């Protein structure tokens, strides 16, 4: 098969906000305890953070990490995770029906994030709590004043403020599973008043209002409209969350998941602009896709997990080759929508629906999805260019005209490197790519990395961590994409 990809220097989408490559650590399962934090582990540092996990996180180069939830945050008292560890309360955690020891809280996590080279996307509890506790947390984290909460931080050993710039106003408040779920109007009001107090405490912060928990929520659309009508002037972003999966084992349909993500983004952006027009506002509210990933493998096993354990092995999806291709495609969609999506968080980072897996007290390995995320995060920075694909299409899962090829292109800030990310959705056919690079005529391919293989269901495990790893392909005889593969092709200017 053949396809053409047309890229032009003058057809730009947007400068990419690096926060597009964010991730997420929730107090859920073994993300924190046994994941980023395990004092007894042989690689643990002076604060009990696992060094092997830190090394893998650094490879992913995540510029921002959402914390501490997720559903967890809607029942969380942030003060429980501060100060003397010996005095911290052990609590029933209702969202995941687990036991939270509070050994890790914002005091520790801000240090972990600093060591990982990431900012924090901090969520406040708008479930059991409200504006008062949220503004106190902003004071604790960001204030230089000699007032109660800033002094509390100093007493806990942190003279300098943590400087957390971006904050989420709660989590998935539209979902009836959420602790203290709200109607859109109830949430819009609390988000508005909380936002005001948080920004009065620190005017430099940016705020994300909760959008829908996923695109098939019955309230999707009306939720965003109502919430934005209440809080438009006080927020900077609205969130999108969505997880994808292949529960019916229909790979042809699954490979088209990115089309759903694209349509979700475009619908939310249109609603933001509708409210902007309604309000005659000069301000644009952008999008924070702060939970996205593939999540379905662990659904059945999670039903067997005993309640009220510390760090139970929840949401431990083991990802295969086709998941990696889909995940790479979702990243292509985020790049192609980078004019509106400024923040995105792969949910999550370690053990819980994660690219990085550990054994508690033991080994670590990279899941299949680790690789497309790593390469896109490393090479997908700069300016997104339109990548127009001329190719055939197919029908699957009720969708028509699914393009066999999907692509994104990014030119680095110094124009030294043009990265082209491409997915081949042909299940059984290779595809030869003709790339037209207008304005970059003297750029030549220097590297072609692919996630490919015959076995769509191949996975990596602690015993066999290298079943699915990136392949280095030849660039001397044209660009050929293997069937059902994700690819990154790097172009550099030819030396005269
Ligand atoms: O990421 C796992 C969970 O998915 C989060 O806690 C919640 O926000 C979402 O439903």
């Amino acid at each position: 098969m053949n396809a053409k990809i047309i890229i032009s220097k003058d057809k730009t989408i947007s400068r990419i906000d690096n926060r597009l490559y964010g991730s997420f650590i929730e107090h859920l399962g073994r993300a924190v305890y046994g994941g980023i934090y395990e004092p007894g582990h042989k690689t643990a540092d002076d604060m009990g953070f696992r060094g092997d996990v830190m090394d893998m996180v650094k490879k992913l180069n995540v510029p921002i990490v959402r914390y501490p939830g997720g559903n967890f945050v809607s029942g969380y008292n942030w003060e429980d995770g501060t100060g003397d560890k010996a005095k911290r309360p052990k609590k029933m955690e209702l969202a995941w029906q687990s036991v939270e020891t509070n050994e890790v809280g914002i005091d520790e996590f801000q240090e972990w994030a600093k060591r990982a080279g990431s900012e924090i996307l901090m969520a406040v509890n708008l479930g059991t709590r409200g504006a008062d506790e949220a503004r106190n947390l902003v004071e604790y984290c960001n204030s230089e004043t000699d007032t109660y909460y800033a002094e509390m931080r100093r007493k806990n050993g942190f003279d300098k403020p943590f400087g957390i710039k971006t904050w989420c106003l709660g989590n998935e408040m539209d979902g009836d599973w959420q602790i203290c779920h709200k109607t859109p109007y109830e949430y819009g009001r609390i988000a508005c008043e909380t936002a005001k107090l948080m920004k009065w405490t620190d005017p430099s912060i940016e705020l994300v209002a909760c959008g829908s928990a996923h695109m098939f929520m019955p309230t999707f659309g009306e939720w965003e409209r109502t919430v934005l009508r209440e809080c438009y002037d006080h927020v900077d972003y609205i969130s999108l969350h969505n997880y994808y999966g292949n529960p019916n084992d229909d790979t042809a349909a699954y490979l088209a998941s990115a089309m759903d993500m694209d349509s979700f983004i475009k619908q939310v952006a249109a609603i933001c602009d509708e409210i902007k027009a309604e309000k005659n506002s000069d301000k644009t509210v952008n999008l924070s896709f702060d939970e996205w990933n593939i999540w379905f493998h662990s659904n059945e096993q999670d039903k067997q997990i005993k309640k009220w354990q510390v760090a139970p092995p929840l949401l431990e999806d083991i990802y295969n080759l086709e998941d990696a291709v889909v995940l790479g495609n979702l990243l292509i969609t985020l790049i192609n929508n980078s004019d509106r999506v400024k923040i995105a968080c792969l949910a999550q980072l370690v053990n819980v629906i994660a690219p990085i897996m550990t054994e508690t007290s033991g080994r670590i390995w990279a899941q299949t999805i680790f690789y497309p995320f790593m390469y896109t995060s490393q090479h997908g920075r700069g300016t997104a260019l339109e990548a127009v694909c001329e190719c055939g299409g197919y029908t699957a899962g009720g969708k028509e005209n699914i393009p066999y090829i999907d692509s994104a292109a990014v030119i680095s800030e110094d124009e030294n490197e043009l990265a082209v990310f491409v997915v081949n959705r042909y299940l059984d056919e290779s595809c030869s790519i003709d790339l037209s690079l207008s304005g970059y005529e003297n750029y030549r391919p220097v590297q072609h990395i692919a996630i490919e293989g015959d076995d769509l269901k191949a996975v990596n495990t602690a015993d066999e961590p290298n079943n699915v790893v990136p392949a280095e392909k030849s660039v001397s005889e044209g660009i050929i994409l293997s069937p059902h593969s994700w690819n990154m092709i790097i172009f550099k200017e030819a030396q005269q």
Side-chain angles (χ1 to χ4, degrees):
M1 293 295 157
N2 300 296
K4 185 168 184 180
I5 301 176
I6 303 160
I7 295 163
S8 311
K9 190 173 189 165
D10 56 0
K11 297 254 168 68
T12 60
I13 297 171
S14 171
R15 196 177 180 289
I16 294 171
D17 190 317
N18 287 344
R19 294 174 301 173
L20 202 67
Y21 304 111
S23 190
F24 179 24
I25 290 282
E26 176 167 2
H27 282 250
L28 192 190
R30 297 190 308 119
V32 174
Y33 309 110
I36 62 166
Y37 178 81
E38 198 186 332
H41 194 267
K42 62 174 191 280
T43 69
D45 67 12
D46 57 313
M47 286 189 72
F49 298 129
R50 275 182 71 153
D52 56 351
V53 173
M54 183 63 87
D55 290 345
M56 296 260 288
V57 169
K58 283 185 179 159
K59 286 190 188 152
L60 295 180
N61 196 4
V62 282
I64 192 161
V65 181
R66 189 162 175 255
Y67 177 84
N71 296 339
F72 169 82
V73 80
S74 300
Y76 183 51
N77 293 350
W78 64 265
E79 303 88 336
D80 291 348
T82 61
D84 185 353
K85 280 198 185 192
K87 295 195 181 130
R88 294 190 192 174
K90 198 189 223 188
K91 287 202 166 162
M92 286 177 87
E93 197 289 286
L94 299 184
W96 301 103
Q97 310 267 293
S98 308
V99 170
E100 173 56 52
T101 64
N102 284 306
E103 270 173 85
V104 171
I106 187 58
D107 285 1
E108 291 74 30
F109 190 74
Q110 59 81 31
E111 184 56 38
W112 180 86
K114 218 186 293 162
R115 292 178 188 194
S118 301
E119 283 179 40
I120 298 174
L121 174 57
M122 186 79 192
V124 300
N125 174 356
L126 292 188
T128 56
R129 301 185 117 189
D132 192 34
E133 296 86 353
R135 60 97 183 236
N136 293 343
L137 179 56
V138 176
E139 181 187 325
Y140 183 85
C141 292
N142 287 3
S143 187
E144 303 259 21
T145 53
D146 62 353
T147 50
Y148 184 82
Y149 288 99
E151 283 297 330
M152 179 170 149
R153 182 193 69 237
R154 289 188 193 94
K155 271 190 221 120
N156 290 340
F158 307 99
D159 198 36
K160 266 186 60 195
F162 304 152
I164 298 176
K165 194 176 135 218
T166 322
W167 297 70
C168 295
L169 293 160
N171 177 70
E172 295 186 354
M173 300 309 304
D174 59 327
D176 60 7
W177 59 86
Q178 201 66 214
I179 298 174
C180 301
H181 153 234
K182 298 195 171 17
T183 67
Y185 180 71
E186 284 168 348
Y187 173 71
R189 287 296 306 132
I190 194 175
C192 172
E193 296 306 319
T194 306
K196 275 163 49 185
L197 270 57
M198 289 171 75
K199 285 196 171 175
W200 287 346
T201 307
D202 179 355
S204 73
I205 61 175
E206 290 194 321
L207 297 174
V208 184
C210 286
S212 292
H214 58 79
M215 65 184 289
F216 300 109
M217 288 296 289
T219 49
F220 171 52
E222 220 19 65
W223 174 272
E224 281 75 1
R225 280 186 195 91
T226 310
V227 167
L228 286 174
R229 277 189 190 113
E230 295 308 315
C231 66
Y232 194 91
D233 293 339
H234 303 281
V235 303
D236 305 281
Y237 309 92
I238 187 152
S239 73
L240 296 84
H241 289 182
N242 214 80
Y243 294 93
Y244 304 85
N246 189 12
N248 303 321
D249 201 10
D250 179 351
T251 301
Y254 182 40
L255 289 178
S257 299
M259 292 174 79
D260 293 336
M261 180 188 243
D262 187 66
S263 140
F264 188 27
I265 291 170
K266 292 198 162 64
Q267 288 181 67
V268 177
I271 295 170
C272 290
D273 294 346
E274 176 191 330
I275 305 302
K276 176 180 180 175
E278 204 177 280
K279 289 187 173 282
N280 199 11
S281 173
D282 290 335
K283 175 173 135 182
T284 297
V285 166
N286 279 317
L287 313 189
S288 172
F289 212 129
D290 47 41
E291 281 189 38
W292 69 272
N293 200 349
I294 292 146
W295 174 13
F296 72 106
H297 295 287
S298 60
N299 291 352
E300 286 309 308
Q301 79 205 31
D302 280 352
K303 292 181 188 152
Q304 312 304 322
I305 297 211
K306 229 175 77 227
K307 291 182 180 180
W308 312 121
Q309 299 183 70
V310 176
L314 282 166
L315 279 66
E316 299 206 356
D317 276 42
I318 299 300
Y319 294 112
N320 57 30
L321 171 63
E322 67 181 17
D323 297 326
V325 175
V326 169
L327 187 126
N329 201 167
L330 295 170
L331 283 160
I332 285 173
T333 303
L334 289 172
I335 292 172
N336 286 334
N337 286 286
S338 57
D339 54 333
R340 293 310 292 267
V341 183
K342 300 296 171 188
I343 304 170
C345 301
L346 174 69
Q348 299 192 10
L349 188 53
V350 186
N351 290 333
V352 172
I353 41 174
I356 301 168
M357 287 302 291
T358 70
E359 291 169 327
T360 302
S361 330
R363 297 171 289 179
I364 186 164
W365 71 100
Q367 295 233 51
T368 61
I369 61 168
F370 181 91
Y371 298 106
F373 189 90
M374 178 182 79
Y375 283 112
T376 312
S377 170
Q378 288 176 355
H379 294 274
R381 302 193 187 211
T383 297
L385 302 163
E386 284 178 24
V388 180
C389 301
E390 289 179 357
C391 59
Y394 67 101
T395 299
K399 276 195 196 75
E400 291 177 354
N401 299 320
I402 302 169
Y404 276 112
I405 299 297
D406 196 13
S407 179
V410 179
I411 183 79
S412 63
E413 192 133 22
D414 58 8
E415 300 214 323
N416 192 28
E417 176 179 299
L418 174 66
V420 181
F421 304 96
V422 200
V423 158
N424 178 11
R425 294 179 177 136
Y426 282 104
L427 279 179
D428 305 309
E429 311 258 8
S430 298
C431 186
S432 161
I433 300 289
D434 171 15
L435 269 144
S436 154
L437 302 178
S438 154
Y440 300 109
E441 283 82 359
N442 60 342
Y443 281 57
R444 302 281 174 267
V446 295
Q447 190 182 24
H448 177 179
I449 301 275
I451 304 291
E452 59 181 24
D454 293 336
D455 182 2
L456 282 161
K457 307 296 179 192
V459 300
N460 294 339
T461 61
D463 289 330
E464 294 189 346
N466 298 321
N467 280 338
V468 182
V469 289
E472 277 276 355
K473 314 268 291 180
S474 157
V475 287
S476 56
E477 281 151 35
I479 306 296
I480 316 275
L481 314 180
S482 298
H484 56 259
S485 64
W486 173 90
N487 302 264
M488 179 187 77
I489 303 118
I490 300 293
F491 293 81
K492 291 201 184 227
E493 201 161 8
Q495 300 302 323
Q496 298 302 322

